[in-house]
Amino acid sequence: MSKTKVLVVDDSALMRQIIVKILSSQPDFEVIGAASDPYKARERILADKPDVITLDVEMPRMDGLTFLGKLMRSRPIPVVMVSSLTEKGCDTTLRALELGAVDFVTKPRVDVSNGMATIGSEIADKVRTAARAHVRRLETPEPTSQTQTVDALITSTHKVIAIGTSTGGTQALSQVLPQLPSNTPGTVVVVHMPAGFTGRFARRLNEQCQLDVKEAESGDMIIPGRVLIAPGNQHMTVRRSGARYMVSMNDDPPVNQFRPSVDVLMNSCAKYIGSNAVGVILTGMGDDGAKGLLAMKQAGAVTLAQDEASCVVYGMPKEAVRVGAVDKILPLSNISGAILEEARRMAQEVSY
């Protein structure tokens, strides 16, 4: 009897090792290889023609759902999703099934090694079932840059905090950021300051905080424990590479008379991070950030604003409230706690 050829695709070396071990212990499976991202997986698919693929969601360079869609449109192969994000009834799982995945297995959230061992038979059974499935080519067109207005993962274990502020913002940030622990989700900040000042301000904050605070440079990764402050006179945007987030700088014209602009940052967060973000507007003059925060809220992010009583200038938060962009209005002293509360809530939803 011929064996079912299986390709394991997961960015975690530990997970690849565990899944390969589980499947290799079955007499009817032949694990033909393991790939750490979709690009390497494509090479193995073309070379070795697997019968079934196990696929993670969160991976560098291209996420699993995007790869699944491309695969099912061009070269349909039975796929079993194996991810901490694929739970019964959740949006990520439903989307994977819509794209043509045969089934899914949820990775354990704690004690991964022992947890995976307990679901070994489930993985084997579902791969076995997938091998008998008749998958069809996905007929829906691949999203284009013209039709795809949002490019965020449905959910992610990688969360991002986006903060915008202006007049009074140096004092506000000096109160908020030092209260955040070292495992706070990656944070991006726009404060209206001239070129030459933001670097020094970042260094001063770095001395006060448990977090690593730095003036942002293009290509910097947004990772837990890091705060990236937009350099004066440059816009900062976030972008996504697979399931990883990073920042880019540009010299595009000022927006709302500002460069960097809070709207520019937050609009990019809405597009690329979606519901995996928390948006915060602190004290400041004008209306920069109101539209961007609204876009974040509409994309599923939780949004916070500083209240009038604690603001140096109640301009930016007021405009954000006026346009309906704010979920919670809080005194400055409560902002750090609210950020941590949302970070904990999101971590509970998709912990790994």
mmCIF file of all heavy atoms in Angstrom, residues 238-261:
data_model
loop_
_atom_site.group_PDB
_atom_site.id
_atom_site.type_symbol
_atom_site.label_atom_id
_atom_site.label_comp_id
_atom_site.label_asym_id
_atom_site.label_seq_id
_atom_site.Cartn_x
_atom_site.Cartn_y
_atom_site.Cartn_z
ATOM 1 N N VAL A 238 2.785 51.450 9.091
ATOM 2 C CA VAL A 238 3.058 50.033 9.365
ATOM 3 C C VAL A 238 2.765 49.244 8.108
ATOM 4 O O VAL A 238 1.960 49.651 7.269
ATOM 5 C CB VAL A 238 2.225 49.490 10.543
ATOM 6 C CG1 VAL A 238 2.465 50.301 11.791
ATOM 7 C CG2 VAL A 238 0.742 49.449 10.202
ATOM 8 N N ARG A 239 3.450 48.137 7.968
ATOM 9 C CA ARG A 239 3.160 47.204 6.889
ATOM 10 C C ARG A 239 3.303 45.793 7.432
ATOM 11 O O ARG A 239 3.822 45.601 8.537
ATOM 12 C CB ARG A 239 4.061 47.439 5.673
ATOM 13 C CG ARG A 239 5.544 47.402 5.951
ATOM 14 C CD ARG A 239 6.333 47.933 4.747
ATOM 15 N NE ARG A 239 7.754 48.037 5.006
ATOM 16 C CZ ARG A 239 8.641 47.107 4.714
ATOM 17 N NH1 ARG A 239 8.240 45.969 4.158
ATOM 18 N NH2 ARG A 239 9.924 47.275 4.959
ATOM 19 N N ARG A 240 2.835 44.843 6.655
ATOM 20 C CA ARG A 240 2.800 43.467 7.115
ATOM 21 C C ARG A 240 3.592 42.583 6.176
ATOM 22 O O ARG A 240 3.504 42.704 4.962
ATOM 23 C CB ARG A 240 1.351 42.981 7.192
ATOM 24 C CG ARG A 240 1.198 41.586 7.758
ATOM 25 C CD ARG A 240 -0.240 41.320 8.184
ATOM 26 N NE ARG A 240 -1.153 41.190 7.077
ATOM 27 C CZ ARG A 240 -1.364 40.058 6.398
ATOM 28 N NH1 ARG A 240 -0.699 38.973 6.724
ATOM 29 N NH2 ARG A 240 -2.229 40.010 5.408
ATOM 30 N N SER A 241 4.402 41.706 6.754
ATOM 31 C CA SER A 241 5.098 40.679 5.995
ATOM 32 C C SER A 241 4.694 39.349 6.605
ATOM 33 O O SER A 241 5.175 38.974 7.671
ATOM 34 C CB SER A 241 6.620 40.867 6.072
ATOM 35 O OG SER A 241 7.298 39.803 5.443
ATOM 36 N N GLY A 242 3.778 38.647 5.923
ATOM 37 C CA GLY A 242 3.208 37.450 6.540
ATOM 38 C C GLY A 242 2.458 37.844 7.790
ATOM 39 O O GLY A 242 1.569 38.680 7.770
ATOM 40 N N ALA A 243 2.830 37.264 8.920
ATOM 41 C CA ALA A 243 2.178 37.596 10.185
ATOM 42 C C ALA A 243 3.035 38.540 11.031
ATOM 43 O O ALA A 243 2.765 38.727 12.208
ATOM 44 C CB ALA A 243 1.889 36.325 10.967
ATOM 45 N N ARG A 244 4.045 39.134 10.435
ATOM 46 C CA ARG A 244 4.929 40.052 11.157
ATOM 47 C C ARG A 244 4.658 41.481 10.718
ATOM 48 O O ARG A 244 4.310 41.733 9.567
ATOM 49 C CB ARG A 244 6.401 39.700 10.894
ATOM 50 C CG ARG A 244 6.771 38.258 11.233
ATOM 51 C CD ARG A 244 6.708 37.997 12.738
ATOM 52 N NE ARG A 244 7.171 36.657 13.064
ATOM 53 C CZ ARG A 244 6.375 35.632 13.279
ATOM 54 N NH1 ARG A 244 5.068 35.779 13.186
ATOM 55 N NH2 ARG A 244 6.855 34.446 13.605
ATOM 56 N N TYR A 245 4.813 42.416 11.652
ATOM 57 C CA TYR A 245 4.588 43.820 11.353
ATOM 58 C C TYR A 245 5.902 44.596 11.451
ATOM 59 O O TYR A 245 6.748 44.309 12.286
ATOM 60 C CB TYR A 245 3.579 44.426 12.333
ATOM 61 C CG TYR A 245 2.254 43.714 12.363
ATOM 62 C CD1 TYR A 245 1.806 43.076 13.525
ATOM 63 C CD2 TYR A 245 1.438 43.672 11.240
ATOM 64 C CE1 TYR A 245 0.587 42.413 13.554
ATOM 65 C CE2 TYR A 245 0.216 43.017 11.259
ATOM 66 C CZ TYR A 245 -0.209 42.390 12.426
ATOM 67 O OH TYR A 245 -1.411 41.746 12.451
ATOM 68 N N MET A 246 6.034 45.615 10.587
ATOM 69 C CA MET A 246 7.209 46.472 10.621
ATOM 70 C C MET A 246 6.787 47.874 10.204
ATOM 71 O O MET A 246 5.645 48.107 9.800
ATOM 72 C CB MET A 246 8.294 45.934 9.696
ATOM 73 C CG MET A 246 7.886 45.838 8.245
ATOM 74 S SD MET A 246 9.090 44.939 7.248
ATOM 75 C CE MET A 246 8.884 43.281 7.891
ATOM 76 N N VAL A 247 7.720 48.823 10.315
ATOM 77 C CA VAL A 247 7.409 50.209 9.982
ATOM 78 C C VAL A 247 8.218 50.665 8.780
ATOM 79 O O VAL A 247 9.297 50.142 8.494
ATOM 80 C CB VAL A 247 7.660 51.157 11.164
ATOM 81 C CG1 VAL A 247 6.705 50.856 12.312
ATOM 82 C CG2 VAL A 247 9.110 51.108 11.630
ATOM 83 N N SER A 248 7.672 51.671 8.094
ATOM 84 C CA SER A 248 8.363 52.323 6.985
ATOM 85 C C SER A 248 8.226 53.833 7.152
ATOM 86 O O SER A 248 7.213 54.320 7.673
ATOM 87 C CB SER A 248 7.769 51.919 5.636
ATOM 88 O OG SER A 248 7.998 50.562 5.363
ATOM 89 N N MET A 249 9.230 54.569 6.714
ATOM 90 C CA MET A 249 9.196 56.030 6.746
ATOM 91 C C MET A 249 9.078 56.551 5.315
ATOM 92 O O MET A 249 9.567 55.916 4.365
ATOM 93 C CB MET A 249 10.468 56.607 7.370
ATOM 94 C CG MET A 249 10.847 56.005 8.709
ATOM 95 S SD MET A 249 9.556 56.102 9.954
ATOM 96 C CE MET A 249 9.706 54.449 10.648
ATOM 97 N N ASN A 250 8.447 57.709 5.165
ATOM 98 C CA ASN A 250 8.411 58.352 3.854
ATOM 99 C C ASN A 250 8.356 59.864 4.012
ATOM 100 O O ASN A 250 8.070 60.391 5.098
ATOM 101 C CB ASN A 250 7.242 57.828 3.011
ATOM 102 C CG ASN A 250 5.887 58.237 3.564
ATOM 103 O OD1 ASN A 250 5.528 59.411 3.536
ATOM 104 N ND2 ASN A 250 5.114 57.261 4.056
ATOM 105 N N ASP A 251 8.636 60.553 2.915
ATOM 106 C CA ASP A 251 8.659 62.014 2.891
ATOM 107 C C ASP A 251 7.479 62.580 2.114
ATOM 108 O O ASP A 251 7.577 63.653 1.504
ATOM 109 C CB ASP A 251 9.975 62.509 2.268
ATOM 110 C CG ASP A 251 11.196 62.079 3.058
ATOM 111 O OD1 ASP A 251 11.145 62.137 4.299
ATOM 112 O OD2 ASP A 251 12.196 61.674 2.440
ATOM 113 N N ASP A 252 6.363 61.844 2.112
ATOM 114 C CA ASP A 252 5.169 62.352 1.433
ATOM 115 C C ASP A 252 4.744 63.691 2.030
ATOM 116 O O ASP A 252 5.140 64.039 3.151
ATOM 117 C CB ASP A 252 4.029 61.338 1.559
ATOM 118 C CG ASP A 252 4.280 60.080 0.737
ATOM 119 O OD1 ASP A 252 5.204 60.104 -0.103
ATOM 120 O OD2 ASP A 252 3.568 59.084 0.939
ATOM 121 N N PRO A 253 3.921 64.472 1.304
ATOM 122 C CA PRO A 253 3.510 65.791 1.807
ATOM 123 C C PRO A 253 2.817 65.704 3.165
ATOM 124 O O PRO A 253 2.225 64.666 3.513
ATOM 125 C CB PRO A 253 2.541 66.282 0.729
ATOM 126 C CG PRO A 253 2.942 65.548 -0.513
ATOM 127 C CD PRO A 253 3.393 64.196 -0.045
ATOM 128 N N PRO A 254 2.876 66.774 3.942
ATOM 129 C CA PRO A 254 2.197 66.792 5.249
ATOM 130 C C PRO A 254 0.712 66.482 5.106
ATOM 131 O O PRO A 254 0.088 66.797 4.089
ATOM 132 C CB PRO A 254 2.423 68.215 5.743
ATOM 133 C CG PRO A 254 3.678 68.660 5.061
ATOM 134 C CD PRO A 254 3.624 68.020 3.703
ATOM 135 N N VAL A 255 0.162 65.866 6.123
ATOM 136 C CA VAL A 255 -1.273 65.581 6.217
ATOM 137 C C VAL A 255 -1.792 66.288 7.454
ATOM 138 O O VAL A 255 -1.192 66.194 8.528
ATOM 139 C CB VAL A 255 -1.529 64.059 6.311
ATOM 140 C CG1 VAL A 255 -3.012 63.776 6.570
ATOM 141 C CG2 VAL A 255 -1.060 63.359 5.046
ATOM 142 N N ASN A 256 -2.886 67.031 7.298
ATOM 143 C CA ASN A 256 -3.406 67.869 8.393
ATOM 144 C C ASN A 256 -2.331 68.851 8.875
ATOM 145 O O ASN A 256 -2.260 69.176 10.059
ATOM 146 C CB ASN A 256 -3.882 67.009 9.572
ATOM 147 C CG ASN A 256 -4.919 65.989 9.171
ATOM 148 O OD1 ASN A 256 -5.808 66.277 8.379
ATOM 149 N ND2 ASN A 256 -4.810 64.771 9.695
ATOM 150 N N GLN A 257 -1.472 69.264 7.944
ATOM 151 C CA GLN A 257 -0.370 70.192 8.203
ATOM 152 C C GLN A 257 0.769 69.564 8.999
ATOM 153 O O GLN A 257 1.691 70.276 9.415
ATOM 154 C CB GLN A 257 -0.866 71.460 8.928
ATOM 155 C CG GLN A 257 -1.961 72.197 8.177
ATOM 156 C CD GLN A 257 -2.441 73.441 8.904
ATOM 157 O OE1 GLN A 257 -1.974 73.761 9.997
ATOM 158 N NE2 GLN A 257 -3.376 74.149 8.292
ATOM 159 N N PHE A 258 0.733 68.256 9.191
ATOM 160 C CA PHE A 258 1.770 67.613 10.014
ATOM 161 C C PHE A 258 2.499 66.521 9.231
ATOM 162 O O PHE A 258 1.927 65.807 8.419
ATOM 163 C CB PHE A 258 1.150 66.985 11.262
ATOM 164 C CG PHE A 258 0.580 67.980 12.229
ATOM 165 C CD1 PHE A 258 -0.804 68.123 12.356
ATOM 166 C CD2 PHE A 258 1.406 68.773 13.010
ATOM 167 C CE1 PHE A 258 -1.332 69.028 13.249
ATOM 168 C CE2 PHE A 258 0.881 69.688 13.907
ATOM 169 C CZ PHE A 258 -0.495 69.819 14.021
ATOM 170 N N ARG A 259 3.776 66.415 9.524
ATOM 171 C CA ARG A 259 4.607 65.280 9.103
ATOM 172 C C ARG A 259 5.625 65.053 10.203
ATOM 173 O O ARG A 259 6.514 65.887 10.358
ATOM 174 C CB ARG A 259 5.295 65.560 7.761
ATOM 175 C CG ARG A 259 5.991 64.321 7.186
ATOM 176 C CD ARG A 259 6.514 64.548 5.779
ATOM 177 N NE ARG A 259 7.565 65.566 5.770
ATOM 178 C CZ ARG A 259 7.990 66.196 4.671
ATOM 179 N NH1 ARG A 259 7.438 65.906 3.499
ATOM 180 N NH2 ARG A 259 8.937 67.086 4.752
ATOM 181 N N PRO A 260 5.498 63.997 10.990
ATOM 182 C CA PRO A 260 4.601 62.848 10.801
ATOM 183 C C PRO A 260 3.161 63.176 11.167
ATOM 184 O O PRO A 260 2.903 64.065 11.985
ATOM 185 C CB PRO A 260 5.173 61.818 11.770
ATOM 186 C CG PRO A 260 5.774 62.634 12.872
ATOM 187 C CD PRO A 260 6.355 63.837 12.191
ATOM 188 N N SER A 261 2.254 62.436 10.563
ATOM 189 C CA SER A 261 0.826 62.600 10.827
ATOM 190 C C SER A 261 0.280 61.363 11.531
ATOM 191 O O SER A 261 0.608 60.231 11.167
ATOM 192 C CB SER A 261 0.070 62.810 9.512
ATOM 193 O OG SER A 261 -1.310 62.577 9.670
#
